[in-house]
């Protein structure tokens, strides 16, 4: 079995590079493939605006897509193992709803206090949604210390989602049309508007999440047997659980803050990866889901661009079209509770 | 022989509401030595599993002490405890998507590095566990493809791969047919003898336990008895284990007979 793994990783890596190339070759502006290649490998500067579009827009966007896809997928994998629930994802803990609440308060609630002055820009939006997700994360961590049962924690996460959804509904009822529109656009999700420094921040937060996840590999594997067996194997359950929750929060929170609440990737990719790699070992699954998630979001983003047209579809719609059938397939499968 | 596991004034049960705990059994005192094969028997709901889970540290005790090699169980670091005590529980696995060899390999966790990479030594221990329990033909199957009985053997092999001086098994023979019950129990006894391990398990098969065990712990609603099976028979400890309207213990054969 060990001999199979490098070839599948090789396949994933090649696919990632290929999708990256395809992603930056398509967009609202038609750039000939030859010009893209020349621009990338620095043969000659064919056209200044092509260079600008590729280097300053498309490449950061493609990198963001990879980061968002891999970050969400990894947080989904962590949560599925932590809760031992195949339908768990970053949204279940309420972290994404926390981010949505932060964004909604800023966009639709902010006007109430500043007499109509808008405080909304990219930076304040990402700060507000980060604060929202961190807040919910802290509450969940505090509850996780008290509640020993992971299913109870899962239900509490769902309740958080309900509460934030209700607050957002109330806010949108009183919001002005333009504010509502701005919030709705944020919920569509985007990987395109990040500056280089924002991409850098995202890279560092996701790296921390990745390091924490690798630190928890053994606990994650042991948790597959259940908490009692894991404890009997020397896993410090409380500490491991907090470590996994913090990693999940960092990954899902930062991604949602910068790219909006992107649905289904975190839930679907771990299942697709298990199917492909045919293993339950997190040492293999962690890099696996990150590669797979990056590829999938690059594809979704390429489709969302509607190549050669000036329209850009909301990426959230595309990920849902791909992700929702995966959930249905999971439920229809005979062994639906197997993960 | 040295005492591996010492139980002092142990009370077991569940923490109830308003500080009034629900006691299942109290003031248990007994000790187990290396190489002993010991069964816990008693009627349904008498606290066999509660006792075993408490001894294994899965469940909190109410009071008293559990000493492993003279050390209080709580004072032993998690990693060290994992290398001295392995368990087989009745609860279902969180996922059955593991292959048999993956599941057994998880038993090596207390000894592997931070990434859980298996060394040659680990692989040897896994291979030995598979061979001892006789799972060679199932090695690459997924756990969801196995019958309950096969899965139970896999879990025993996992505990065996953990290679601990103490093994605790909660009803390890439930899903097995008579032949395989005896096979598993004989294997466990052989392991206890050969590697000087302490093996303790709960069971409803009192007649098999009488034939195979070095010592038995009989839990009754008001008392408990600990000692070799023949001593229990002499002291008529089995007589009052069950209500006497349906079955009766026959000291001559060491089995329960149905009353006519």
């Amino acid at each position: 079995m060990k001999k199979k793994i490098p070839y599948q990783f090789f396949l994933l890596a090649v696919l990632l590079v290929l999708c990256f190339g395809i992603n930056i070759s398509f967009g609202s502006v038609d750039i000939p493939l030859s010009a893209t290649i020349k621009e990338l490998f620095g043969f000659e500067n064919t056209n200044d605006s092509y260079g600008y579009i590729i280097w300053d827009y498309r490449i950061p966007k493609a990198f963001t897509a990879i980061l968002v896809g891999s970050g969400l997928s990894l947080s989904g994998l962590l949560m599925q193992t932590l809760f031992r629930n195949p339908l768990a994802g970053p949204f279940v803990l309420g972290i994404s709803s926390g981010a949505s609440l932060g964004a909604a308060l800023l966009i639709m609630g902010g006007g109430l206090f500043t007499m109509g002055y808008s405080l909304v820009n990219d930076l304040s939006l990402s700060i507000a949604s980060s604060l929202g997700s961190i807040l919910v994360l802290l509450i969940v961590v505090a509850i996780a210390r008290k509640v020993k049962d992971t299913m109870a924690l899962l239900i509490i996460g769902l309740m958080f989602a309900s509460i934030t959804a209700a607050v957002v509904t109330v806010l949108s009822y009183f919001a002005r049309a333009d504010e509502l529109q701005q919030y709705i656009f944020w919920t569509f999700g985007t990987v395109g508007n990040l500056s280089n420094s924002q991409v850098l921040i995202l890279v560092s937060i996701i790296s921390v999440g990745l390091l924490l996840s690798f630190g928890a590999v053994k606990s994650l594997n042991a948790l597959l047997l259940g908490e009692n067996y894991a404890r009997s194997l020397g896993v410090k359950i409380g500490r491991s659980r907090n470590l996994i929750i913090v990693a999940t929060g960092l990954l899902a929170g930062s991604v949602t803050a910068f790219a909006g609440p992107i649905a289904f990737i975190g839930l679907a990719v771990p299942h697709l990866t298990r199917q492909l790699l045919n293993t339950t070992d997190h040492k293999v699954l962690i890099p696996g889901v990150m590669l797979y998630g990056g590829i999938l979001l690059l594809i979704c983003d390429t489709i969302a661009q509607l190549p050669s047209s000036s329209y850009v579809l909301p990426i959230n719609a595309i990920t849902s079209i791909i992700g929702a059938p995966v959930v249905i397939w999971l439920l229809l499968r005979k062994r639906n509770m197997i993960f | 022989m040295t005492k591996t596991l010492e139980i002092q004034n142990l009370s077991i049960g569940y923490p109830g509401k308003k500080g009034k705990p629900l006691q299942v059994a109290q003031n248990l005192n007994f000790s187990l030595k290396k190489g002993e094969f010991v069964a816990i028997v008693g009627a349904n709901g008498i606290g066999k599993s509660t006792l075993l889970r408490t001894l294994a540290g899965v469940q909190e005790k109410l009071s008293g002490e559990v000493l492993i090699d003279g050390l209080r169980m709580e004072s032993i670091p998690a990693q060290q405890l994992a290398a001295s005590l392995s368990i087989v529980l009745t609860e279902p696995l969180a996922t059955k998507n593991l292959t048999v060899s993956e599941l057994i390999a998880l038993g090596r966790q207390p000894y592997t590095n931070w990434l859980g990479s298996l060394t040659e030594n680990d692989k040897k221990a896994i291979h030995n566990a598979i061979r001892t329990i006789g799972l060679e033909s199932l090695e690459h199957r997924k756990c969801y493809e196995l019958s309950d009985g096969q899965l139970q053997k896999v879990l025993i092999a996992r505990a065996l791969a953990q290679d601990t001086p103490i093994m605790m098994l909660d009803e390890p023979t439930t899903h097995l047919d008579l032949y395989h019950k005896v096979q598993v129990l004989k294997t466990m006894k052989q392991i206890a003898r050969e590697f000087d391990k302490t093996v303790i398990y709960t069971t409803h098969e009192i007649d098999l336990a009488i034939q195979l065990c070095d010592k038995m712990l009989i839990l009754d609603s008001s008392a408990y008895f600990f000692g070799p099976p023949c001593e229990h028979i002499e002291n008529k400890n089995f007589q009052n284990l069950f209500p006497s309207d349906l079955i009766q213990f026959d000291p001559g054969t060491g089995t329960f007979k149905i009353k006519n």
Side-chain angles (χ1 to χ4, degrees), chain A:
Chain A
M1 192 145 144
K2 273 210 161 156
K3 278 174 190 158
K4 263 193 215 160
I5 290 160
Y7 121 78
Q8 279 146 331
F9 269 104
F10 182 67
L11 189 81
L12 281 175
V14 168
L15 263 175
L16 186 73
V17 173
L18 203 67
C19 290
F20 186 85
I22 293 170
N23 187 273
I24 57 172
S25 310
F26 291 106
S28 311
V29 179
D30 266 324
I31 299 178
L33 195 60
S34 56
T36 311
I37 292 166
K38 277 178 191 160
E39 194 61 55
L40 272 183
F41 295 98
F43 290 140
E44 57 195 285
N45 209 338
T46 43
N47 181 324
D48 273 347
S49 57
Y50 283 179
Y52 176 76
I53 290 171
I54 290 174
W55 286 107
D56 287 333
Y57 181 70
R58 289 189 184 175
I59 286 181
K61 180 168 72 73
F63 269 117
T64 313
I66 294 174
L67 287 172
V68 167
S70 46
L72 285 175
S73 307
L74 181 53
S75 72
L77 175 72
L78 296 180
M79 297 188 69
Q80 283 170 14
T81 302
L82 180 66
F83 295 117
R84 291 175 294 289
N85 185 331
L87 292 177
F91 292 81
V92 179
L93 253 192
I95 289 165
S96 303
S97 9
S100 305
L101 184 64
L105 279 174
L106 179 77
I107 297 171
M108 300 189 288
L112 299 176
F113 303 105
T114 55
M115 305 293 179
Y117 274 113
S118 179
L119 296 169
V120 183
N121 58 42
D122 285 343
L123 185 67
S124 66
L125 198 58
S126 51
I127 291 174
S129 43
S130 297
L131 283 177
S133 42
I134 289 167
L135 182 74
V136 173
L137 177 68
L138 288 178
I139 297 171
V140 171
V141 170
I143 291 173
R145 284 173 186 275
K146 298 223 168 190
V147 182
K148 292 218 165 144
D149 182 7
T150 41
M151 281 318 274
L153 195 62
L154 202 71
I155 293 166
I156 289 166
L158 281 172
M159 291 304 112
F160 270 118
S162 300
I163 294 168
T164 48
V167 174
V168 169
T169 310
V170 171
L171 280 173
S172 27
Y173 185 78
F174 290 108
R176 293 198 316 267
D178 60 321
E179 291 170 342
L180 190 57
Q181 191 189 31
Q182 203 175 6
Y183 175 72
I184 298 288
F185 274 128
W186 180 80
T187 63
F188 283 166
T190 175
V191 291
N193 293 334
L194 269 68
S195 66
N196 283 336
S197 59
Q198 283 173 313
V199 173
L200 211 64
I201 294 172
L202 198 56
V203 168
S204 11
I205 299 178
I206 289 180
S207 310
V208 174
L210 179 64
L211 281 178
L212 291 179
S213 314
F214 261 111
V217 160
K218 270 177 89 170
S219 323
L220 287 165
N221 283 338
L223 278 171
L224 291 174
L225 298 176
E227 282 188 11
N228 285 332
Y229 277 117
R231 198 178 292 115
S232 85
L233 285 167
V235 174
K236 297 184 184 80
I237 295 291
R239 215 193 61 178
S240 306
R241 198 157 63 152
N242 289 344
L243 187 72
I244 296 168
I245 289 175
V246 168
T248 309
L250 284 176
L251 291 163
S254 63
V255 166
T256 310
F258 285 115
I262 290 176
F264 287 112
I265 294 290
L267 175 52
V269 170
H271 291 286
L272 296 169
T273 311
R274 280 188 207 102
Q275 205 77 12
L276 178 76
L277 297 177
N278 195 24
T279 180
T280 49
D281 187 352
H282 287 77
K283 190 174 54 186
V284 180
L285 281 177
I286 289 174
V289 293
M290 293 194 81
L291 282 171
Y292 209 133
I295 292 168
L296 200 62
L297 212 71
L298 276 174
I299 295 174
C300 288
D301 182 57
T302 310
I303 298 170
Q305 293 300 319
L306 282 182
S308 302
S309 79
S310 58
Y311 296 105
V312 179
L313 298 177
I315 194 163
N316 220 344
I318 311 292
T319 58
S320 301
I321 288 169
I322 294 176
V326 172
V327 176
I328 295 171
W329 164 70
L330 276 176
L331 290 170
L332 287 179
R333 212 160 56 140
K334 268 189 201 154
R335 311 181 304 268
N336 60 345
M337 285 311 280
I338 282 177
F339 69 101

Side-chain angles (χ1 to χ4, degrees), chain B residues 37 39 41 173-174 176-186 189 201 203-216 229 238 249 253-256:
Chain B
F37 186 50
V41 299
T173 54
T174 318
L176 300 170
D177 59 50
L178 183 61
Y179 178 83
H180 288 99
K181 274 185 214 291
V182 176
Q183 188 199 35
V184 163
L185 291 178
K186 284 200 87 158
K189 181 171 183 171
Y201 73 105
T203 185
H204 285 293
E205 277 92 32
I206 295 171
D207 43 347
L208 293 183
I210 288 173
Q211 292 178 59
L212 284 165
C213 287
D214 300 313
K215 281 180 185 160
M216 288 173 81
F238 293 111
F249 186 73
T253 56
T255 53
F256 284 88

Side-chain angles (χ1 to χ4, degrees), chain B residues 73-86:
Chain B
M73 203 168 156
E74 306 87 291
S75 68
I76 303 173
Q79 193 86 4
Q80 198 185 325
L81 189 64
S84 49
L85 197 161
S86 59

